[in-house]
Amino acid sequence: MKKIVSWLEEKFLPLAMKLNNLKYLVALRDGFIATMPISMFGALNIMTKEILLTPTSLFGEFLNKWEFYATTIQPFFDAVAVPISNQIWWGTLALGIIFTVFTISYKLAEAENQDALTAGVLAVVSYFMLLPQSAGPDAGWGTISWTSFNSESIFTGILVAIFATEIFMFLNRKGLTIKMPEQVPPAVSRAFSAVIPAGVVMFTFGTFGFITLNLLGTTLKDIINTSIQIPLTSLGQSPITMILITLVAQVLWFFGLHGSLIVGPILDTMYSASLSQNAEAVLVHGVQAPNAITRNIIDLYGMAGGSGATLALIIAIFLVSKRAEYRSLAKMSFMPGVFQINEPIIYGLPIVLNPILAIPFIFVPPIMVSIGWFFTEIIPFAGRVYIAPPWVVPPVLNTFLATGGSLSATFLSLVTLCLSIAIYIPFVHLANKMD
């Protein structure tokens, strides 16, 4: 074990540190985090609709057997609650790429001490400059199609945010700005200084829009979707890819680094489109979700209580640990663990650089995720994920919500939690014998 740790420290850790500090991944991570209030409420809204509000929802179907509910409450839901829910979905999840473009650009410019607000607005403007001015030959001018913002647009939005911001910052650093006298208020001075860089960015993306739409007869979104997003999404649907990324995150945790935050931008980039495609298939087209692997399938089946499935470790400690300090820490960490907060157990036990508990901590998540994938894709037992519940939702319940109330997926999540406990138990027994 010492040789493995030494090799990882020498070869793997420096690469992980560089990855953690790569400005584009940091911007992606912080940009996605910044949209969490919107995406979390949007997800809660969809979960409520899919589980309760519609007559075909899980609880709605049962409650509509009651005549009073079917004749009094359900009509109100149909006339008021469901349309409100649809509007919330439209303004949050359906058009979410707009907010993502802004926040990624903002965070990238902020990290470089540039005018982040102008950069974010400019990135959104640049994205719109690439869009067709009509939804189709039969649509009037100015009718932008929703397909310009759906699951196929995620990679385009990310790239536009990065390139528009980099051009803007490059011109600012070169001093290609309008300098105003000191007497001019700072807000006005910043606005004027951004005119030339912003103009160059807008002309650049306006030209790209003209070339793709008028000369190539397509959109930049379609080009990027075909050449980058579809291949990368297909790569993400391989269980090998999912297992490797999960393993990397767990190894980083072992060294005390926040593995989830470091690999988070990679997961968000690779799997955001998959979740969006699933949501679009179920909510818009009413068909089965196409992707078995999404960004949150790792959390649902492999991370009960947070990274490393540490809620399973806490339960295993309650069951078999004879060490007073372990049991005391487990009591303090149980409630945070229920709500997916596990830093107390990771750093307090600790699991960091612990050669005994690190073994199940590293390998339980990929094993459980593989089981989740197998019974979703190979043996279609569990319902597929198409909603992203807030990350603080307790284990098992989060699977119920993420799959729109799939009881089979919920049961599978409970099984993976029990299996995780079973794997941790022998190592907790072993820890009893350690000083």
Side-chain angles (χ1 to χ4, degrees):
M1 185 67 180
K2 289 183 179 179
K3 290 183 179 180
I4 295 175
V5 171
S6 178
W7 183 84
L8 288 172
E9 285 180 342
E10 181 183 353
K11 304 295 184 181
F12 179 77
L13 201 55
L15 178 62
M17 294 298 293
K18 290 180 181 179
L19 188 66
N20 188 42
N21 295 320
L22 189 62
K23 68 175 183 177
Y24 299 120
L25 291 182
V26 172
L28 285 174
R29 179 195 69 199
D30 294 345
F32 280 117
I33 291 174
T35 63
M36 280 184 64
I38 296 170
S39 59
M40 287 175 67
F41 185 79
L44 286 170
N45 165 69
I46 289 299
M47 287 186 295
T48 303
K49 175 189 172 185
E50 292 295 296
I51 294 172
L52 176 64
L53 296 182
T54 64
T56 57
S57 62
L58 182 69
F59 292 126
E61 188 172 356
F62 171 77
L63 291 171
N64 272 279
K65 295 178 181 178
W66 183 26
E67 185 178 353
F68 174 79
Y69 187 96
T71 58
T72 305
I73 298 177
Q74 188 61 55
F76 171 78
F77 283 169
D78 293 340
V80 179
V82 171
I84 290 175
S85 175
N86 291 338
Q87 290 303 118
I88 294 173
W89 169 77
W90 178 251
T92 55
L93 301 182
L95 303 179
I97 189 61
I98 300 173
F99 319 124
T100 304
V101 169
F102 177 85
T103 54
I104 291 174
S105 174
Y106 186 99
K107 291 297 181 180
L108 183 59
E110 184 181 54
E112 299 285 332
N113 295 316
Q114 297 273 359
D115 186 351
L117 182 60
T118 300
V121 173
L122 187 59
V124 174
V125 171
S126 300
Y127 183 82
F128 274 92
M129 286 181 174
L130 299 171
L131 305 182
Q133 297 180 19
S134 173
D138 298 328
W141 178 87
T143 55
I144 302 176
S145 171
W146 172 63
T147 58
S148 297
F149 310 99
N150 67 357
S151 58
E152 296 180 355
S153 62
I154 291 174
F155 277 81
T156 305
I158 291 172
L159 292 175
V160 168
I162 291 174
F163 280 103
T165 307
E166 282 293 352
I167 295 171
F168 176 72
M169 294 192 300
F170 173 79
L171 296 174
N172 273 329
R173 285 192 290 263
K174 292 297 182 180
L176 298 176
T177 60
I178 298 175
K179 294 178 173 60
M180 302 297 290
E182 294 183 0
Q183 296 83 356
V184 176
V188 177
S189 180
R190 282 196 300 271
F192 271 92
S193 68
V195 168
I196 294 177
V200 173
V201 173
M202 288 186 283
F203 179 80
T204 300
F205 280 89
T207 302
F208 265 108
F210 168 79
I211 291 173
T212 54
L213 293 169
N214 294 280
L215 301 183
L216 301 180
T218 183
T219 64
L220 185 62
K221 183 207 75 171
D222 290 336
I223 295 172
I224 293 175
N225 185 53
T226 303
S227 60
I228 300 177
Q229 180 164 317
I230 291 177
L232 195 57
T233 301
S234 299
L235 177 64
Q237 289 304 302
S238 166
I240 296 175
T241 304
M242 174 186 60
I243 290 170
L244 287 176
I245 294 176
T246 307
L247 273 174
V248 168
Q250 296 310 113
V251 172
L252 291 172
W253 273 112
F254 173 71
F255 287 104
L257 301 175
H258 201 301
S260 301
L261 284 181
I262 293 174
V263 305
I266 299 173
L267 290 171
D268 289 330
T269 304
M270 184 170 288
Y271 290 112
S272 291
S274 302
L275 184 63
S276 297
Q277 287 169 2
N278 283 5
E280 184 178 334
V282 175
L283 301 175
V284 178
H285 305 295
V287 298
Q288 179 179 312
N291 301 304
I293 302 176
T294 62
R295 168 68 174 87
N296 49 342
I297 192 175
I298 298 174
D299 302 322
L300 302 180
Y301 296 115
M303 304 289 190
S307 295
T310 47
L311 183 60
L313 170 59
I314 293 171
I315 296 172
I317 290 173
F318 286 147
L319 292 175
V320 301
S321 180
K322 296 179 181 178
R323 300 182 63 157
E325 71 274 23
Y326 274 30
R327 296 183 69 85
S328 177
L329 185 63
K331 291 177 183 177
M332 291 187 294
S333 304
F334 178 72
M335 284 310 298
V338 168
F339 294 98
Q340 312 284 29
I341 300 169
N342 66 346
E343 280 80 2
I345 198 77
I346 288 178
Y347 296 110
L349 204 57
I351 297 174
V352 174
L353 297 177
N354 185 323
I356 302 300
L357 295 179
I359 296 173
F361 179 83
I362 291 173
F363 291 104
V364 161
I367 291 172
M368 295 305 124
V369 172
S370 300
I371 293 173
W373 166 81
F374 184 84
F375 285 100
T376 303
E377 174 71 13
I378 304 302
I379 298 177
F381 170 76
R384 297 192 172 190
V385 175
Y386 64 96
I387 301 171
W391 64 272
V392 293
V393 175
V396 182
L397 176 60
N398 59 4
T399 308
F400 177 81
L401 298 176
T403 54
S406 170
L407 296 179
S408 57
T410 306
F411 175 75
L412 180 61
S413 180
L414 179 61
V415 169
T416 56
L417 173 59
C418 294
L419 288 174
S420 301
I421 297 170
I423 294 174
Y424 266 111
I425 283 177
F427 294 92
V428 175
H429 268 303
L430 188 58
N432 288 334
K433 303 176 183 179
M434 301 291 292
D435 293 331

